[in-house]
């Protein structure tokens, strides 16, 4: 038999699926070289192994019952196979499986990532473009391909709830919060010695601050993740000589993961080292330290679009302009005196903290100065809390959360308030001047109480009143940084005619209440939403609001951009108006006005707000202001220092633009057309929503379930008993829809049956695997056929050398009975066609069945040519991409090799001059050996992924097709 085997033929080798590579004789012995699934290439003597041609699934040669032939069950089995194929390989499966309104530029991002050999990318879209949605879509794509069993999200602490809510709401992905309570609970469940991070099928979310603990370093090194997502990834970039703990942990995770998504609207800080570190996380073998960072390299790892670069089909920008203006507030004389007295107190304590080496007290003073320019209410509450703290007998021991806050961790608002209130109370150990400070604080509280009018509050109230009088339908969003200020201002608004229309969001508002408030503001009658920065991320208000008031400016300009991003995002149709209220004549106001003007000037030249914010991400404005207060410098001196720093960073930014390293790609009508082609192809994977609906309704009824139409797009269904075991909960008397728009509109009332919903999945598996269901043979009578024939419906698939499915599809081959002519196009028409309600007589079907073996030979001949053609196309594409990747590795290796050798030469010269450089030389030689090992290992992996293997075709079912 072995001499009759052809190269590329599918066989069973000792029962294992295999593909013939070559057959040759050595003397009298025949040898077979074949690729065996799960084992790789083998060369064996044919006499020592069992070689068989595979029998297709479901095709036993026993007599079949003509009464069991069913067009309906044939179609259901065929569609069930389409679902199974799509869950392993398709185009963009997330289009059908996500309960979120998708934008073309988001789909283009997802498609770009999924087309990579490795799904590792830095997604750097602008604020408001939906990086969260893009990450969720990519996760759904990987999940559909069974490559997302172990997932880890690493995000700032205050964003964990947002991620959990949106992954569940939009993508039906449940994330478990990995915090101290989770670790302790898992240790109790699994044992103290267990590695809680190394478990199958766990999808976790944790904060950057929590994960960077030293105790997790070793356990995480033993774990491996299918997908790691890092939000605000620029905070994990390497800066300076010593990387932060966050940078070290993210670098560790990048090496312990398959897919890696780094998300950041500001991927650079104007410093190349920081950006290079993000590139190295994506691929540590992409750019050597002494290799130039080129546009080609950046394009391979980063996807970036700005609001200014996205256009509609008519060439118009889809994001409107925004107008940001400062509203100056003149202090009254009592307010001015109070400001000067508090600042004088802050200066005294701040300077003492420097002299006594108690920096934490200095930070407490910085918090006080921030609240001073926020509101009378905020600073008065802060002064009172400090008095209470100083009166306590025991020195306050800072909590873990407060220490994390001091280390720069992002905390939930509730934790941040608690941490800041701890800091407000810290003082000097054994302070002899305590009574003097208490006397000063009490005097300042008395001054605050004697201020008759809060000028800023009064001006903001009048401003809101004028907005509502000018346009009664206007909705207004007001932000303040502090809960104290929010409560204080609300108290001052009680007599306003619009007081009952105010809704409030802060860190203490439950997430379900927050969602209701968001819906009411967007779709209800209430016109005012007052919020702290707890609402600066995670809510979308662009449909209802275009006016924002900032009660005070946060000292971090990026926080201001996050606020504006609530209304200046996709879907906003009006010009965004932002009004910043600031006290005139204060040091803070002058510095911020200069900073805003400088940022706006740079932004107008480079055209991207996020780039400018990235440039000033690590700019310590707080330190500049506090040093200015400490040294009693005029604001102009601080402005000059700040301006010099900004000019230096601006030049770096402009240089990067000139080299096209970080500019945003344009998304225009041509881009939309390209992604629409992918979307159209993707719909063919599952079928349209109507196709999915027909399959599910027909399948439920065929298995004894119930599906009754309630309205045009809504059904009331009961799952059949046979599916009960596969469902987590009983699925009875449930209103469902297959229409994504309807599901989004009535989210809480109607269940969306997406193609990967558990009911649909259970239905697919039972129809395809259930022995009693049938569908392996069918019969159809169709008006477009001229002659009877048989459609042999094959599944064909191709994988790379690493075992990842590259492509799989159904290949229905129709073979005409009289001519034995094989044709795929006609086979597809038979699959898609609905049979007429007539049946051929028994003898006609039997006659066609008797020709089955002969017709099947023609089908397999046609199939083999199809497989060869597809394999050739896939191989050409893979070879091209493999060659590119190998060339890049060679370039990296050459540059890194040259760098290490230059160190060795330099050390040897020093050794010849008498220095003891033996250890240094051996260290560099070891690094050189490690380099060669890493390069060789990666090349082997690349070559494996470059090899294309066709898997044995599987006959899914067949259909006897007759002319009407």
């Amino acid at each position: 038999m072995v001499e009759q085997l052809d190269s590329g033929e599918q066989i069973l080798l000792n029962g294992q699926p295999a593909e013939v590579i070559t057959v040759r004789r050595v003397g009298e012995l025949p040898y077979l070289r074949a690729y065996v699934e799960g084992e790789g290439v083998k060369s064996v003597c044919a006499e020592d192994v069992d070689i068989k041609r595979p029998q297709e699934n479901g095709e036993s040669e026993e007599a079949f019952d003509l009464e069991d032939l069913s067009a309906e069950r044939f179609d259901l089995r065929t569609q069930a196979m389409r679902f199974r194929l799509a869950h392993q390989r398709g185009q963009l499966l997330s289009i059908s499986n996500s309960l979120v309104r998708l934008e073309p530029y988001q789909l283009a991002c997802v498609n770009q990532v999924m087309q990579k050999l490795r799904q590792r990318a830095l997604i750097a879209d602008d604020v408001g473009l939906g990086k969260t949605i893009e990450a969720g879509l990519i996760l759904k794509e990987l999940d559909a391909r069974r490559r997302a069993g172990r997932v880890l999200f690493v995000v700032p602490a205050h964003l964990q709830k947002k991620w959990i809510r949106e992954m569940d709401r939009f993508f039906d992905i449940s994330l478990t919060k990995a915090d101290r309570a989770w670790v302790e609970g898992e240790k109790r469940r699994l044992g103290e010695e267990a590695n809680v991070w190394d478990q199958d099928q766990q999808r976790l979310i944790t904060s950057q601050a929590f994960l960077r603990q030293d105790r997790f370093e070793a356990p995480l090194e033993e774990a491996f993740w299918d997908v790691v997502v890092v939000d605000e990834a620029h905070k994990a970039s390497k800066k300076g000589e010593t990387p932060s703990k966050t940078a070290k942990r993210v670098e560790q995770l990048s090496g312990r993961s398959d897919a890696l998504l780094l998300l950041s609207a500001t991927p650079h800080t104007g410093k190349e080292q920081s950006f290079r570190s993000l590139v190295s996380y994506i691929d540590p073998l992409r750019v050597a330290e002494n290799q130039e960072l080129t546009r080609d390299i950046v394009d391979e790892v980063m996807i970036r679009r700005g609001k200014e670069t996205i256009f509609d089909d008519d060439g118009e920008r889809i994001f409107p302009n925004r107008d940001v203006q400062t509203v100056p507030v003149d202090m009254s004389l009592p307010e001015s005196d109070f400001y000067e007295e508090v600042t004088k107190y802050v200066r005294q304590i701040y300077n003492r903290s420097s002299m006594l080496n108690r920096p934490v007290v200095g930070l407490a003073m910085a918090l006080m100065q921030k609240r001073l320019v926020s509101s009378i209410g905020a600073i008065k509450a802060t002064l009172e809390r400090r008095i209470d703290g100083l009166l306590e007998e025991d020195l306050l021991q800072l909590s873990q959360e407060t220490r994390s806050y001091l280390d720069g961790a992002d905390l939930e608002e509730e934790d941040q308030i608690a941490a800041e209130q701890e800091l407000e109370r810290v003082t000097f150990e054994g302070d002899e001047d305590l009574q003097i400070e208490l006397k000063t604080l009490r005097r300042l509280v008395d001054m605050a109480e004697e201020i008759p009018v809060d000028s800023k509050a009064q001006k903001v109230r009048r401003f809101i009143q004028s907005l509502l009088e000018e346009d009664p339908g206007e909705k207004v969003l007001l932000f303040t940084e502090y809960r104290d200020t929010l409560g204080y201002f609300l108290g001052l608004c009680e007599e306003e005619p619009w007081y009952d229309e105010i809704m409030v969001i802060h860190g203490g508002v439950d997430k379900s209440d927050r969602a209701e408030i968001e819906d009411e503001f967007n779709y209800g009658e209430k016109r005012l939403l007052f919020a702290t920065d707890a609402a600066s991320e995670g809510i979308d208000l662009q449909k209802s609001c275009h006016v924002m008031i900032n009660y005070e400016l946060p000292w971090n300009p990026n926080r201001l951009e996050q606020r504006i991003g609530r209304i200046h995002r996709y879907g906003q149709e009006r010009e965004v108006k932002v009004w910043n209220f600031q006290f005139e004549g204060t040091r803070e106001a002058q510095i911020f006005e200069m900073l805003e003007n400088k940022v706006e000037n740079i932004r107008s030249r480079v055209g991207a707000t996020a780039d400018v914010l990235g440039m000033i991400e690590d700019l310590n404005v707080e330190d500049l202001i506090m040093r200015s207060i400490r040294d009693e410098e005029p604001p102009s001196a601080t402005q000059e220092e700040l301006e010099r720093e900004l000019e230096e960073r601006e030049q770096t930014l402009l240089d990067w633009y000139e080299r096209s390293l970080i500019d945003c790609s344009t998304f225009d009508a041509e881009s939309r057309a390209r992604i629409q082609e992918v979307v159209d192809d993707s719909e063919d994977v599952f079928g349209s929503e109507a196709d999915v609906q027909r399959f599910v309704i027909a399948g439920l009824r065929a298995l004894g379930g119930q599906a009754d139409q309630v309205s045009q797009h809504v059904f009331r269904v009961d799952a059949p008993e046979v599916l009960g075991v596969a469902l987590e909960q009983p699925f009875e008397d449930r209103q469902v829809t297959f229409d994504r728009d309807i599901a989004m509109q009535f989210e809480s009332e109607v269940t969306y049956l997406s193609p990967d919903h558990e009911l649909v999945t259970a239905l697919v598996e039972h129809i395809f695997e259930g022995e009693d269901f049938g569908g392996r043979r069918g019969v159809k009578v169709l008006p477009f056929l001229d002659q009877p024939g048989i459609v042999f419906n094959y599944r064909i698939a191709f994988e790379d050398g690493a075992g990842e499915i590259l492509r799989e599809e159904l290949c229905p081959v129709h073979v005409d009975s009289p001519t034995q002519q094989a044709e795929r196009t006609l086979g597809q028409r038979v699959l898609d066609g609905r049979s007429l309600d007539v049946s051929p007589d028994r003898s006609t079907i039997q006659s066609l069945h008797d020709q089955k073996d002969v017709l099947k030979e023609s089908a397999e001949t046609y199939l083999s040519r199809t497989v060869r053609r597809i394999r050739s196309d896939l191989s050409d594409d893979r070879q091209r991409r493999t060659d590119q990747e190998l060339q890049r590795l060679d370039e990296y290796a050459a540059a890194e090799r040259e760098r290490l050798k230059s160190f060795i030469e330099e050390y040897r010269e020093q050794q010849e001059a008498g220095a003891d450089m033996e250890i240094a030389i051996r260290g560099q030689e070891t690094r050189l050996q490690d380099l060669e090992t890493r390069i060789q290992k990666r090349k082997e992996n690349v070559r494996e992924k470059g090899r294309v293997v066709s898997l044995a075709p599987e006959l899914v079912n067949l259909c006897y097709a007759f002319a009407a």
Side-chain angles (χ1 to χ4, degrees):
M1 170 189 174
V2 67
E3 285 85 356
Q4 301 172 2
L5 297 177
D6 296 324
S7 177
E9 186 172 348
Q10 304 299 321
I11 61 171
L12 293 177
L13 186 63
N14 289 336
Q16 290 292 107
E19 178 179 336
V20 176
I21 299 175
T22 57
V23 176
R24 66 190 182 98
R25 278 189 171 273
V26 178
E28 296 180 353
L29 292 177
Y31 281 85
L32 169 68
R33 182 174 173 80
Y35 176 83
V36 184
E37 274 192 59
E39 299 181 27
V41 176
K42 284 187 174 183
S43 295
V44 294
C45 178
E47 295 180 357
D48 299 331
V49 294
D50 179 32
I51 302 172
K52 293 180 180 177
R53 287 189 170 93
Q55 291 289 322
E56 289 77 15
N57 289 353
E59 272 305 296
S60 58
E61 290 304 315
E62 69 272 10
F64 69 100
D65 187 351
L66 297 180
E67 300 301 323
D68 289 340
L69 296 178
S70 165
E72 179 189 28
R73 298 211 169 203
F74 172 85
D75 287 341
L76 284 169
R77 180 176 172 83
T78 299
Q79 184 62 32
M81 175 51 95
R82 280 179 177 159
F83 279 101
R84 297 182 103 198
L85 298 187
H87 277 72
Q88 292 182 37
R89 175 57 54 176
Q91 297 294 318
L92 288 181
L93 313 178
S94 53
I95 297 173
S96 303
N97 293 337
S98 306
L99 198 59
V100 62
R101 200 171 305 282
L102 307 176
E103 303 301 336
Y105 66 84
Q106 294 172 338
L107 296 176
C109 169
V110 177
N111 188 55
Q112 189 172 340
V113 172
M114 294 309 300
Q115 293 303 312
K116 293 174 176 288
L117 286 175
R118 304 171 74 208
Q119 279 65 54
R120 298 173 72 90
L122 168 59
I123 300 178
D125 284 350
D126 206 347
V127 175
L129 293 187
K131 291 182 291 297
T132 303
I133 298 301
E134 290 165 346
L137 291 170
I138 292 168
L139 184 55
K140 290 293 281 188
E141 294 292 336
L142 292 169
D143 190 27
R145 293 156 174 81
R146 297 179 174 86
R147 292 175 52 205
R150 305 180 69 180
V151 178
L152 177 64
F153 283 77
V154 183
V155 307
H158 68 282
L159 295 181
Q160 289 180 99
K161 290 181 180 178
K162 165 183 174 285
W163 275 99
I164 291 171
R165 181 176 65 251
E166 296 196 0
M167 288 299 104
D168 178 59
R169 177 183 178 185
F170 296 138
F171 304 106
D172 196 27
I173 293 173
S174 297
L175 300 178
T176 298
K177 187 176 180 181
D179 54 11
R180 186 167 54 204
W182 175 80
V183 170
E184 292 172 354
E186 290 298 277
K187 288 288 186 182
R188 288 193 297 270
R189 184 174 70 88
L190 301 172
E192 283 298 322
E193 300 303 316
N195 185 350
V196 299
W197 302 101
D198 190 20
Q199 302 180 60
D200 290 335
Q201 302 302 315
Q202 65 177 1
R203 293 179 171 181
L204 305 178
I205 184 168
T206 191
S207 72
Q208 295 172 355
F210 183 73
L211 202 63
R212 65 188 183 186
Q213 297 177 65
D214 292 337
R215 61 184 174 131
F216 295 143
E217 181 176 0
L220 287 170
E221 191 61 32
E222 297 174 359
F224 192 87
W225 304 91
D226 295 316
V227 187
V228 168
V229 179
V230 182
D231 193 18
E232 300 289 322
H234 55 277
K235 295 180 179 179
S237 63
K238 295 180 181 178
K239 307 175 183 73
E241 294 296 322
T242 306
S244 67
K245 288 184 177 180
T246 300
K248 290 179 180 177
R249 188 66 71 241
V250 170
E251 183 176 35
Q252 180 187 28
L253 291 173
S254 71
R256 305 296 302 159
S257 59
D258 182 15
L260 174 68
L261 301 177
L262 304 180
L263 313 180
S264 172
T266 56
H268 56 86
T269 59
K271 298 178 181 178
E272 187 158 315
Q273 178 203 17
S274 174
F275 186 69
R276 274 178 174 264
S277 66
L278 297 180
V279 174
S280 71
Y281 297 161
I282 300 298
D283 186 352
L285 301 182
R286 187 60 200 91
V287 57
E289 288 187 31
N290 60 342
Q291 209 174 353
E292 182 184 1
L293 195 61
T294 65
R295 178 70 203 208
D296 287 343
I297 292 173
V298 172
D299 280 347
E300 289 164 14
V301 300
M302 184 173 75
I303 299 169
R304 191 151 201 260
R305 293 189 179 88
K307 292 173 181 173
E308 298 85 358
T309 64
I310 301 179
F311 301 87
D312 61 21
D313 290 333
D314 297 324
E316 298 293 328
R317 275 176 41 194
I318 66 172
F319 282 88
N321 293 324
R322 73 187 194 191
D323 179 23
V324 181
Q325 296 188 32
T326 298
V327 180
V329 179
D330 293 321
M331 285 184 175
S332 65
L333 184 58
E335 287 173 326
S336 181
D337 290 343
F338 180 67
Y339 172 83
E340 292 299 334
E341 287 299 309
V342 173
T343 301
K344 179 181 177 181
Y345 162 76
V346 166
R347 180 184 302 114
Q348 290 172 345
I349 304 300
Y350 189 84
N351 288 343
R352 286 191 69 206
S353 73
S354 298
M355 289 186 296
L356 298 176
N357 194 27
R358 186 79 164 124
V360 68
V361 179
L363 288 170
M365 293 302 100
L367 291 172
M368 187 167 290
Q369 190 70 23
K370 288 182 184 180
R371 284 172 166 79
L372 173 60
V373 293
S374 177
S375 70
I376 299 296
I379 185 59
K380 180 174 176 289
T382 303
L383 292 168
E384 289 172 337
R385 284 193 293 266
R386 183 156 181 82
I387 290 173
D388 292 339
L390 297 184
L391 289 173
E392 291 183 359
E393 293 183 4
D394 297 327
L395 289 173
L396 182 68
Q397 296 297 315
L398 297 181
S399 65
Q400 177 62 48
E401 286 75 13
T402 302
R403 290 196 294 271
S404 297
Y405 177 75
L406 292 173
D407 288 338
D410 290 298
L411 303 179
E412 299 277 4
E413 185 178 271
E414 295 292 287
D415 295 332
Q416 180 176 326
I417 289 175
E420 291 182 349
Q421 290 186 358
E422 277 191 25
L423 291 174
E424 290 168 356
R425 301 153 71 94
V426 297
T427 187
F428 308 100
E429 188 172 359
D431 187 8
E432 297 178 354
D433 296 331
L434 180 60
Q435 293 304 317
I436 297 175
E437 182 178 354
L438 283 169
K439 182 178 179 180
T440 301
L441 288 167
R442 292 187 180 107
R443 180 173 60 84
L444 293 174
V445 170
D446 290 340
M447 288 184 70
E449 289 177 342
E450 291 172 3
I451 295 174
V453 176
D454 186 317
S455 300
K456 188 198 289 185
Q458 189 176 45
K459 193 158 188 174
V460 172
R461 295 202 317 268
R462 290 172 179 170
F463 190 80
I464 292 173
Q465 181 67 32
S466 66
L467 287 173
L468 298 180
E469 287 176 355
E470 184 178 340
D471 182 357
E474 192 75 85
K475 295 202 174 188
V476 180
L477 173 63
L478 180 144
F479 269 110
T480 180
E481 189 165 2
Y482 303 109
R483 186 92 61 87
D484 289 331
T485 294
L486 180 61
Y488 172 72
F489 183 61
L490 284 169
L492 296 178
C493 294
E494 289 181 352
E495 301 302 321
E496 299 293 343
W498 34 261
Y499 178 75
D500 290 340
E501 294 191 62
I502 299 173
M503 295 177 291
V504 176
I505 290 180
H506 52 68
V509 176
D510 183 79
K511 65 178 183 178
S512 59
D513 294 334
R514 194 176 304 190
E516 290 181 7
I517 292 170
E518 180 181 350
D519 287 343
E520 171 62 27
F521 188 66
N522 278 326
Y523 307 111
E525 297 297 323
K526 292 189 176 182
R527 297 178 292 174
L528 300 171
L529 176 58
F530 292 180
T532 65
D533 282 316
S536 68
E537 295 177 278
I539 64 172
D540 300 336
L541 307 173
Q542 70 275 18
K543 296 292 186 182
S544 60
C545 178
H546 74 114
V547 175
M548 174 185 293
I549 293 173
N550 287 302
Y551 198 88
E552 81 287 281
L553 284 176
W555 286 18
N556 181 348
N558 283 284
R559 186 70 61 82
L560 176 61
E561 186 62 27
Q562 290 288 357
R563 292 180 180 182
I564 297 173
R566 298 311 93 212
I567 59 176
H568 193 224
R569 56 198 303 114
Y570 188 85
Q572 179 61 260
E573 297 178 351
R574 294 174 289 179
E575 182 181 52
V576 170
K577 295 281 189 179
V578 180
W579 308 90
N580 301 323
F581 283 73
Q582 287 197 130
F583 281 121
E584 281 282 88
T586 65
R587 176 179 280 99
E588 295 84 355
Q590 292 180 52
I591 291 173
F592 271 112
E593 185 175 359
M594 187 281 295
L595 180 61
E596 284 182 76
N597 291 337
K598 189 70 176 176
V599 166
E600 182 58 31
N601 289 336
I602 300 173
R603 191 192 70 81
S604 66
R605 287 200 290 277
V606 303
T609 302
D611 292 335
V612 184
L613 293 174
M615 182 189 73
I616 61 175
E617 166 69 24
D618 62 347
L619 190 65
N620 197 331
V621 179
E622 177 180 309
D623 184 59
L624 282 171
I625 292 175
M626 294 308 297
R627 282 195 289 114
S628 173
I629 291 173
R630 178 194 68 191
D631 301 335
E632 297 188 67
E633 290 181 344
S636 58
T638 307
Q639 288 175 318
E640 289 176 7
E641 180 181 354
L642 186 57
E643 191 152 8
R644 285 195 301 272
E645 177 71 19
L646 286 173
E647 286 174 354
E648 179 182 330
R649 295 181 181 219
E650 178 187 2
Q651 189 54 51
T652 303
L653 184 65
L654 294 174
D655 175 60
W656 282 30
Y657 264 91
E658 186 176 338
R659 292 158 58 196
S660 297
L661 291 181
I662 56 171
D663 59 338
C664 301
S665 58
T666 299
F667 192 84
D668 52 17
E670 183 179 345
S671 308
R672 287 169 176 270
R674 283 198 299 269
I675 192 61
Q676 188 59 48
E677 290 180 8
V678 177
V679 171
D680 292 341
D681 289 344
S682 301
E683 187 174 84
D684 292 338
V685 176
F686 284 129
S688 64
E689 289 179 346
D691 293 331
V692 178
Q693 176 180 309
R694 279 194 295 271
F695 166 75
V696 173
I697 299 301
L700 289 174
R701 290 171 176 168
L703 292 175
Q706 189 171 346
D708 299 320
Q709 192 161 5
V710 175
S711 63
Q712 183 177 359
H713 299 289
V714 178
F715 294 80
R716 189 179 302 280
V717 303
D718 287 322
E721 292 183 9
V722 293
L723 299 185
V725 178
L727 301 175
E728 290 186 7
Q729 297 179 352
F731 207 91
E732 300 173 351
D733 196 31
R734 191 90 61 90
Q735 287 200 13
V736 305
T737 185
F738 303 90
D739 187 300
R740 291 175 62 251
D741 292 334
I742 296 294
M744 286 187 280
Q745 185 177 353
F746 301 101
E747 187 176 338
S748 61
E749 304 168 30
V750 180
T751 300
Y752 176 50
L753 291 190
S754 66
D756 68 348
H757 187 279
E758 65 163 350
L759 176 65
V760 182
T761 301
L763 184 61
V764 166
E765 292 306 308
H766 186 84
I767 286 175
F768 199 81
E769 298 292 350
E771 295 182 1
D772 59 339
F773 185 81
R776 288 183 170 82
R777 293 188 181 93
V779 61
K780 287 187 175 184
V781 179
L782 299 161
F784 53 79
L785 290 177
D786 296 325
Q787 299 290 342
I790 301 178
V791 175
F792 299 90
N793 190 23
Y794 291 95
R795 170 209 181 241
I796 57 176
F798 306 83
E799 65 179 26
D800 63 19
E804 179 186 343
I805 295 289
L806 300 176
R807 176 172 171 176
E808 62 175 352
E809 60 193 67
L810 288 179
C811 183
V813 183
H814 177 275
V815 186
D816 187 271
S817 172
T819 65
Q820 298 180 20
Q821 183 72 31
E823 184 183 353
R824 182 175 184 176
T825 303
L826 189 56
Q828 188 63 54
R829 289 186 67 191
V830 172
L831 248 63
D832 297 337
R834 301 193 69 173
S835 180
L836 300 178
D837 193 20
V838 294
S839 299
D841 59 59
R842 184 183 188 88
S843 61
T844 303
I845 298 176
Q846 185 66 54
S847 175
L848 187 57
H849 174 70
D850 291 342
Q851 301 180 61
K852 181 174 72 70
D853 291 341
V854 175
L855 300 182
K856 187 178 177 186
E857 287 185 15
S858 296
E860 291 183 344
T861 300
Y862 179 91
L863 185 69
S864 64
R865 291 197 297 265
T866 301
V867 168
R868 282 198 185 96
R869 176 180 52 78
I870 296 174
R871 183 177 59 189
S872 177
D873 292 343
L874 288 173
S875 296
D876 290 345
D877 176 67
R878 280 274 156 161
Q879 189 61 52
R880 175 183 58 78
R881 297 166 70 179
T882 297
D883 290 344
Q884 290 175 347
E885 186 69 15
L886 292 175
Q887 181 181 347
R888 292 176 191 137
L889 284 171
D890 285 337
E891 291 171 357
Y892 169 87
E896 189 67 1
R897 201 178 289 123
E898 180 182 349
R899 187 177 73 88
L900 295 175
K901 286 182 177 179
S902 69
F903 283 133
I904 294 173
E905 291 174 6
E906 179 184 339
Y907 295 158
R908 282 181 176 157
E909 289 175 2
Q910 295 177 28
Q911 188 178 47
E912 290 173 1
D916 184 6
M917 303 300 297
E918 191 61 35
I919 294 177
I921 291 172
R922 284 205 303 269
Q924 296 301 326
E925 288 175 340
T926 299
R927 290 188 179 91
L928 194 58
Q929 292 172 358
D930 290 344
L931 169 67
E932 303 302 341
T933 301
R934 286 191 301 148
I935 291 294
Q936 189 58 37
K937 184 177 180 180
R938 172 67 72 81
K939 283 187 172 182
E940 290 172 1
N941 178 261
V942 169
R943 292 189 180 103
E944 279 290 287
K945 293 185 77 67
R947 190 154 48 86
V948 177
V949 178
S950 62
L951 304 182
E954 172 189 353
L955 185 61
V956 177
N957 51 8
L958 61 84
C959 181
Y960 302 99
F962 296 90

